Amino acid sequence: RKEQELDSKDAIILHQFSRPTNGVPSLSPFCLKMETYLRMADLPYQNYFDGKLSPQGKMPWIEYNHKKVSGTEFIIDFLEEKLGVNLNKHLGPHERAVSRAVTKMVEEHFYWTLAYCQWVENLHETRKMVSLFGPFSDLLKWILCHLTKGIVKREMYGHGIGRFSEEEMYTLMEKDMRTLAGLLGDKKYIMGPNVSTVDATVFGHLAQAMWTLPGTRPERLIKGELINLAMYCERIRRKFWPEWHHDDDNTLYESEESSEASKTYSPLQDFSFYSRTETFDEEGNSISQTPDTDYTGHSLFDSDVDMDDYRDHEQCK
C-alpha cells in the first residue's frame, strides 16, 4: 500500500492499532494508556490506524514536528519537554517515586498476566473483538490471533513469568490487582484527588480486565471483590471518554460524579472527540471531523467540561 505522507508540524500524530469491534478504544493497554494520557493533558492529537510499528518495533508511537518517538514513557517525557505539560506537578518526591514503582509493577508484571488471559486463555473471545474487514477477514483474524498467541507465549517465557503454571500466573495477577485496590482505597485517583500520569497507566491496563475479558477471573475480581477498582475505571471512562458508551452501563459502579442522565446519551461512532484534526483509517481516508465546542461554547478539548450539564442537555433534547 502506498503510504500517505503525514505532516506532523505542530501536530501530535498517534499511531496505534485499529479500534476493536466491542466499543473499547483499544485491546492494547499501552495504546489506551497513551490516548488517555493525551486526553488527561488536554493535548490535541490525530489518530492514525495504519498498523505500522515504530522503527523500534513498538506500538503506540507518535510523530511531532517530523520527530518520531516510541515507548509510552519516552513519549510522555518528550511531550512534557516540548509542550510544557506535566500531570505530576502536584506530586512530591515521595509520591513521584511511588508512582514510578506502581507504573513498573503494572507495565512489567501485571501486563504479562493480562496478555496471557487475553491472547492465550481467552483467545476465542479476543478474536471476536479484533477489527478486520474484507472477504478473508475471518481467516486473517484466526491467523493474526494465533500468531499473537505464539508471540505472547514466547515472550512470557523469556520474561520468566511464562515458566509458571496457569494457576501460579493468576495468583500473581490477583496479588497485583489487590495491591492496586489497596493503594487506591477510597481515593478518587491513585495518588489522591487529582489525576497524574500513573492513572493513565493503571486505567489502560485495568480497562482490559473490566471490558475485554468477559467471564474471566480478572473480570470477576474487579467487578466483585475489588469494586473500588471498577468504580475507578468508570470514573476515568466517564470523565475522559464521554463518548465511550458501554452496553452494560448501570448504577453499580456510579460514583458521586455520576447521575441518572449518564445513561441517556448516545454513543459516538468515532473516538476523535478530543482531536482537533481529523482521524484517518488504515487506507489514509478521513473518517471524521469533530467540532471545537459543545452546545455551551466550552471547548471539547477541556477535560474538565461539566459532563453532567452536557448529559442533562442531551436528555432534554
Side-chain angles (χ1 to χ4, degrees):
R1 183 174 71 242
K2 183 178 180 180
E3 294 184 6
Q4 178 182 1
E5 186 68 26
L6 297 178
D7 183 8
S8 63
K9 187 178 187 316
D10 298 326
I12 300 172
I13 298 174
L14 177 62
H15 295 259
Q16 60 171 314
F17 297 115
S18 298
R19 302 292 192 197
T21 60
N22 66 334
V24 175
S26 182
L27 294 176
S28 164
F30 292 98
C31 289
L32 183 53
K33 167 194 173 179
M34 195 66 249
E35 192 167 0
T36 301
Y37 170 84
L38 291 172
R39 290 173 173 232
M40 287 178 171
D42 283 331
L43 293 176
Y45 63 94
Q46 175 177 302
N47 276 317
Y48 202 73
F49 303 112
D50 55 356
K52 181 181 179 181
L53 301 179
S54 73
Q56 294 82 14
K58 292 283 192 177
M59 187 74 90
W61 56 287
I62 69 162
E63 292 180 79
Y64 181 77
N65 283 339
H66 306 290
K67 170 75 172 179
K68 298 179 181 180
V69 186
S70 66
T72 55
E73 184 172 355
F74 292 115
I75 292 173
I76 291 172
D77 289 344
F78 173 81
L79 294 175
E80 287 182 352
E81 178 185 352
K82 294 294 182 181
L83 302 177
V85 296
N86 189 352
L87 294 181
N88 299 330
K89 60 185 177 182
H90 61 284
L91 301 181
H94 175 74
E95 293 173 313
R96 289 172 185 261
V98 171
S99 294
R100 179 163 178 80
V102 172
T103 297
K104 292 303 107 179
M105 179 194 75
V106 170
E107 294 185 346
E108 306 295 342
H109 194 265
F110 182 49
Y111 163 76
W112 290 109
T113 57
L114 280 176
Y116 175 83
C117 190
Q118 196 171 42
W119 294 103
V120 179
E121 187 204 19
N122 207 44
L123 183 65
H124 178 71
E125 291 296 326
T126 301
R127 188 169 75 238
K128 297 177 183 177
M129 305 175 196
V130 173
S131 177
L132 282 178
F133 303 97
F136 304 106
S137 59
D138 289 340
L139 175 61
L140 290 174
K141 283 197 286 188
W142 188 92
I143 294 173
L144 173 65
C145 288
H146 280 78
L147 284 174
T148 304
K149 175 182 177 180
I151 292 171
V152 168
K153 291 181 70 174
R154 184 175 68 250
E155 292 188 349
M156 288 183 68
Y157 190 85
H159 176 279
I161 197 170
R163 306 183 187 216
F164 297 113
S165 68
E166 180 178 299
E167 185 60 34
E168 288 171 328
M169 280 191 283
Y170 277 116
T171 298
L172 296 175
M173 171 185 278
E174 289 194 16
K175 286 184 177 181
D176 288 343
M177 293 181 70
R178 292 181 191 280
T179 297
L180 291 172
L183 181 63
L184 176 64
D186 59 358
K187 299 194 299 295
K188 190 174 181 180
Y189 301 109
I190 294 295
M191 301 309 299
N194 300 311
V195 293
S196 55
T197 302
V198 70
D199 290 299
T201 302
V202 174
F203 174 75
H205 288 72
L206 287 181
Q208 308 303 318
M210 185 84 172
W211 290 294
T212 73
L213 297 171
T216 61
R217 289 171 64 173
E219 186 204 47
R220 293 195 299 269
L221 190 61
I222 196 173
K223 293 183 178 180
E225 185 179 348
L226 306 182
I227 195 69
N228 66 328
L229 294 182
M231 295 176 67
Y232 168 81
C233 287
E234 277 291 342
R235 187 176 302 121
I236 292 179
R237 181 180 74 109
R238 291 169 188 254
K239 184 174 180 62
F240 298 104
W241 291 90
E243 81 280 31
W244 172 2
H245 180 75
H246 196 264
D247 292 338
D248 296 331
D249 280 353
N250 54 55
T251 59
L252 182 60
Y253 310 117
E254 287 194 354
S255 62
E256 69 280 359
E257 296 181 339
S258 304
S259 67
E260 285 299 315
S262 66
K263 301 187 290 297
T264 63
Y265 66 89
S266 299
L268 301 182
Q269 295 304 308
D270 66 80
F271 290 86
S272 58
F273 193 75
Y274 282 75
S275 176
R276 293 180 180 174
T277 50
E278 296 178 332
T279 296
F280 291 87
D281 62 15
E282 294 181 4
E283 301 296 330
N285 300 316
S286 175
I287 297 176
S288 64
Q289 178 73 41
T290 55
D292 285 349
T293 57
D294 66 4
Y295 76 96
T296 65
H298 289 105
S299 169
L300 292 179
F301 317 122
D302 181 4
S303 59
D304 291 325
V305 169
D306 190 342
M307 290 309 302
D308 287 337
D309 291 345
Y310 179 76
R311 287 190 288 266
D312 290 341
H313 174 78
E314 291 297 303
Q315 188 177 28
C316 289
K317 288 199 297 185

